[in-house]
Structures are given as C-alpha cells and as structure tokens.
Amino acid sequence: MDIAVDKVSEMIVRLRAVEVKEGPTDPDSGSNPIDDGATDVLVGGTDDQTEREIRDVIASLNDDERADLLALLYVGRGDMEPEEWADAVRFAREREAAGEGAARELLGVPNASDLLSEGLDRLGITPDLPQD
C-alpha cells in the first residue's frame, strides 16, 4: 500500500465528522446560536468547512495515495477481495482517469469512514483511531 495508515486514519476521522451531520432541519435558523444550543453545527451545508478540508486533503495526496484510498473503499465495501488489491488499485486509477475523483466518490458514500476502516481490517491492518 502506497498510502500511510496515518493518512487513512486521518481521512476516516474527517469523514466521520461529515457523516454525523444531517440536512437542514431549521430552514429559518438565524437566531442566536446560544439560544438554540448551537445545534446548527451538526447540520451539513454547502459551506461546510469539514467537507472542504476533506477535499483539500485528498487533493494534496499523490496519484498512488488517492488510488489506494479508493481501493480501500472498494475492498471495505466488498466490491473486491483483499487478494485482488492490485485490481482494486487499477480500477481506482481508471475511475480517477475518467474524472470521477476520489473526493467526489468518498463524500458520495454515506458510510465511507466505516468502509475505509473495514478495508484496512480486511487487509489485516489495524489503524490507530480514536474510540467513539
């Protein structure tokens, strides 16, 4: 694997921060954050800083690291078996070349953090993740 486990762990933590958010539940929000318990922080939106950070981190990865990240997603999801790692990486490169984009794919999967973690597990790698 060409991506460091620490980088995958960081991505898992960042994705979890996005995955816990929900859609707008108070469309007329604008009241004092203290009055409403600052619950808007748990609402995702188009100006979500955490999502932007994920995109920036993925953009900072080299081609091999982005391919490995997507390959972990495929192995974690069960699309590929651990023994098919080379095929999973090759497929990830093809998706990137077709313009799919790792950020778009990872942010488009509702449980990407769990799937990345499962991918590492299926490869026999135990990441150092904070406990929930």
Side-chain angles (χ1 to χ4, degrees):
M1 210 168 63
D2 290 321
I3 189 169
V5 175
D6 290 348
K7 288 184 179 183
V8 178
S9 297
E10 176 187 349
M11 183 59 59
I12 290 170
V13 170
R14 289 178 185 271
L15 285 166
R16 283 181 181 166
V18 170
E19 292 168 355
V20 298
K21 295 186 180 210
E22 61 182 50
T25 56
D26 184 9
D28 296 325
S29 181
S31 63
N32 184 333
I34 294 172
D35 292 342
D36 62 12
T39 56
D40 284 348
V41 75
L42 295 176
V43 176
T46 57
D47 62 344
D48 189 341
Q49 184 63 33
T50 309
E51 186 174 319
R52 204 174 359 254
E53 289 173 3
I54 290 171
R55 291 180 186 282
D56 289 345
V57 169
I58 292 172
S60 73
L61 299 175
N62 66 41
D63 293 343
D64 293 335
E65 292 171 325
R66 278 194 308 276
D68 281 359
L69 199 58
L70 287 177
L72 279 171
L73 181 76
Y74 305 147
V75 170
R77 192 166 51 195
D79 297 337
M80 304 271 201
E81 295 299 321
E83 300 80 28
E84 300 174 297
W85 179 254
D87 293 333
V89 171
R90 190 171 21 264
F91 182 68
R93 289 182 192 280
E94 290 170 5
R95 297 287 302 253
E96 281 275 302
E100 293 296 318
R104 182 177 176 191
E105 190 157 357
L106 285 167
L107 289 168
V109 176
N111 60 337
S113 64
D114 292 337
L115 295 176
L116 288 176
S117 184
E118 179 66 23
L120 288 173
D121 187 56
R122 292 186 74 204
L123 290 174
I125 300 170
T126 305
D128 183 24
L129 294 170
Q131 298 301 315
D132 295 332

